[in-house]
Amino acid sequence: MIRWRNAATAVSLLALGLSACATTGTGGPAKPSGAANKPAEKAEIKPLPKGLDGQASTGFPSTYKPFPSQATAFVGATVLTATGQQIENGVVVTSGGKVVAVGGPDTAIPADAVKVDATGKWLTPGIIDAHSHLGVYPSPGVQARSDGNEATDPNTAQVWAEHSVWPQDPGFNRARAGGVTTLQILPGSANLFGGRSVTLKNVPSLTMQGMKFPDAPYGLKMACGENPKRVYGGKGRSPSTAMGNVFGYRKAWIDAADYARKWDDFRAKQQKGEKADAPKRDLQMETLAGVLKGDILVQNHCYRADEEATMIDIAKEFGYKITMFHHAIESYKIAPLLAKEGICSATWASWTGFKMESLDGIDANAAILWKNGACVVIHSDDPIMTQRLNQEAAIAMTAGNKLGYGISRAEAIKWITANPAKAMGIGDKTGSIEPGKAADLVVWSRDPFSVYAQAEKVFIDGALIYDRKDARFQPKSDFELGQPGQGAFN
C-alpha cells in the first residue's frame, strides 16, 4: 500500500513535470521551491579596491603633446596620398596638426599658410613601421639594455613592451631620418605569447609616455614556428614541437575564456545589485581576455603558410581575430585565404633563407598578396632596415611588376603607410594624406621608390621634426659618442 501510494505520487509528480515542460503558459509558471530558487541576496555595490579591477585601471596613459606647428602649404610636389592617388604638381595644406586640403595646383591656399616649395620633390604620408624593437633592444646593443624578450615562460602575455622602452635609443633618431613617423614596438618572439605591443609617435622625448600614440589599441605579440619550440625545447620543457606550440595556445585560450566568464558573471551580478565576489585580477589572463573581447589586436609572428592556416583555425575555435601575420614570407601560398579572412601580412622583400622556416620566401610575396586582394605591409624588425622601408617596398613592387602585375607607386606606398596604420588600429588617424588625418608627412628628395631617395623633411602632427639640411632638427645622442658613424643620418 505504501509502495502503491509512493508510486502514485511519483506518477503524479512526473505528470506535473511533463506538463510544465510542455506548457507554454496556460498553466502558469512553476512555483519556486527550495534554496536554489531563493532570490539572490542583494548587496550594496562598492568599487573594488584600487588596482583590483582591470576595467577601472587607468593604466599607463599617454602624455604625448604635438610639437608646435603652423599652417603650411606644400606646393609643387608629386603627392602619393596612400588612397590610390598620385597627384602631379600637387598641393597639400595642413593646419592645427591635421591635413585640411589635398589636390592639384588649383587647390586654395590660406593666406596665413607658410609655403614649402616642394617642386621636383615627392610628398608621402609618414612611414609606419609595424614591427620594431627600437627602445627595447636599443643602441648600443649591450646586455644591460636587452629588454625585448621575457624568455622565462612560454606564456608571458602579462608583460608590456612599453615598460621596457628606453626613449633615448638613438635608433629613433635614425628611423626619423628615414621618414618613419610611427612605430609599433613589439616584445620578442621567444614565447608563444610574448606580451603587449605599444605604438609610438617618433618624436624626441625623455619618457615613453611622451611618445605613446594617444588611444592606439594594444597588440598581443604571439609567435609560432621555430622560436618558441627552440627556446623551451632547449630547456627540456614544452613546447618542443609544433604540436606542443598549438597545445600551449589552446590551453591558454581556454584559461582566458574561463577568466573572462568569471568577470562577466561578476559584473552581471553587480549590475543587478546582487552580492558577488570579484575574481582575483590576473594580468596574464587580462591581456588574453582583452583579445577575446576584441580590445587587443593579435600581432602574430608566423613564417610558414601551413602554420598560418593552423593559427586561423585556433582563432576560430576561440572566437578571436588575427590582425596581422608578421614575417609572413610564405603568405603568397595562401593569399586567397588571407584575403578572405581579412588578415594583413607583414613581410620583407628579399630577406629570406636565414633559417629553415624562412627558406621558401620569394621577392614577389607581397605582390602576389596584393594581386589576390590581401592586405600587404612591409616591415623592418631591424634598426637599420627601418630607415629604408621605402626601398624594401620598391623591391617588392618591382618583383611584382616583373610578373606583369602593373603595381603603381600609388598602390605600393600603402604598404608602408596606410596598411600598417590599419593593422595597428590607427588607420582612422594617420597613414594617408586626407583631410582630417594627422599631418604626418615626408618630403622626399625624389621618387621614394628610388634607391637614391632621401627623406629631406619629416613632419609629425604638422610640426617639422627632422630636416636633413638644418642641424637644429637633427637630434644627436650622447650615447653614440665615440661610436663609428656617431650622429650620422644615413
Side-chain angles (χ1 to χ4, degrees), residues 20 28-40:
K31 293 181 179 178
S33 64
N37 293 316
K38 284 184 178 178

Side-chain angles (χ1 to χ4, degrees), residues 155-204:
N155 186 353
T156 60
Q158 70 272 18
V159 303
W160 298 21
E162 66 191 64
H163 299 143
S164 280
V165 168
W166 183 49
Q168 295 178 69
D169 179 0
F172 288 120
N173 296 339
R174 295 178 183 276
R176 201 177 304 122
V180 176
T181 55
T182 303
L183 311 101
Q184 177 170 234
I185 310 300
L186 292 150
S189 53
N191 306 334
L192 302 176
F193 299 91
R196 292 196 195 195
S197 68
V198 63
T199 297
L200 302 179
K201 288 272 189 178
N202 192 13
V203 296

Side-chain angles (χ1 to χ4, degrees), residues 460-482:
I460 296 180
D461 288 316
L464 179 61
I465 215 77
Y466 171 73
D467 189 327
R468 188 171 294 273
K469 297 179 180 177
D470 189 336
R472 295 175 300 163
F473 297 93
Q474 299 174 4
K476 294 179 175 59
S477 170
D478 291 344
F479 294 93
E480 288 188 307
L481 294 176

Side-chain angles (χ1 to χ4, degrees), residues 42-83:
K42 297 293 181 181
E44 181 185 355
I45 298 177
K46 297 180 181 177
L48 292 171
K50 201 171 179 64
L52 291 188
D53 186 349
Q55 189 169 283
S57 171
T58 54
F60 301 86
S62 168
T63 60
Y64 169 75
K65 300 291 182 189
F67 281 52
S69 64
Q70 54 189 343
T72 304
F74 300 86
V75 179
T78 299
V79 180
L80 297 176
T81 63
T83 62

Side-chain angles (χ1 to χ4, degrees), residues 248-456:
Y249 308 129
R250 298 180 78 204
K251 180 182 184 307
W253 290 124
I254 289 169
D255 291 343
D258 191 53
Y259 179 77
R261 177 189 61 79
K262 289 175 180 173
W263 273 99
D264 287 345
D265 289 348
F266 165 72
R267 298 195 195 286
K269 287 181 178 178
Q270 262 202 332
Q271 286 182 354
K272 290 189 289 187
E274 297 177 2
K275 184 179 180 182
D277 290 329
K280 182 180 178 182
R281 190 179 178 194
D282 182 319
L283 296 178
Q284 183 181 90
M285 291 296 105
E286 191 170 288
T287 291
L288 298 182
V291 171
L292 296 178
K293 290 181 180 296
D295 298 332
I296 298 174
L297 310 180
V298 171
Q299 308 290 346
N300 201 150
H301 159 128
C302 213
Y303 285 77
R304 281 178 16 199
D306 60 317
E307 292 194 322
E308 290 176 18
T310 298
M311 298 306 290
I312 291 172
D313 282 348
I314 295 169
K316 289 183 175 178
E317 181 180 11
F318 294 99
Y320 67 91
K321 177 173 172 51
I322 298 168
T323 301
M324 180 156 61
F325 286 118
H326 293 237
H327 314 338
I329 65 166
E330 285 192 13
S331 279
Y332 67 94
K333 296 179 180 178
I334 55 168
L337 173 63
L338 295 169
K340 176 186 171 190
E341 297 294 333
I343 300 174
C344 294
S345 293
T347 186
W348 305 281
S350 56
W351 194 6
T352 64
F354 49 86
K355 56 180 175 177
M356 194 65 202
E357 63 186 357
S358 74
L359 200 62
D360 218 5
I362 60 173
D363 289 3
N365 180 28
I368 293 172
L369 286 162
W370 174 83
K371 186 69 173 175
N372 281 274
C375 169
V376 176
V377 172
I378 303 294
H379 67 351
S380 78
D381 189 25
D382 184 80
I384 303 300
M385 188 181 287
T386 194
Q387 301 175 59
R388 299 178 174 82
L389 285 174
N390 57 315
Q391 294 176 18
E392 280 294 293
I395 295 169
M397 178 182 71
T398 302
N401 288 340
K402 284 182 179 176
L403 298 175
Y405 288 173
I407 305 169
S408 69
R409 284 162 171 71
E411 283 297 311
I413 194 67
K414 297 177 185 176
W415 302 349
I416 51 176
T417 57
N419 288 1
K422 169 188 167 187
M424 293 157 58
I426 53 174
D428 60 334
K429 300 180 177 69
T430 187
S432 56
I433 303 178
E434 297 177 89
K437 293 283 185 73
D440 298 342
L441 302 168
V442 181
V443 178
W444 298 90
S445 60
R446 61 176 70 197
D447 175 359
F449 294 94
S450 163
V451 72
Y452 299 109
Q454 291 184 319
E456 288 194 346

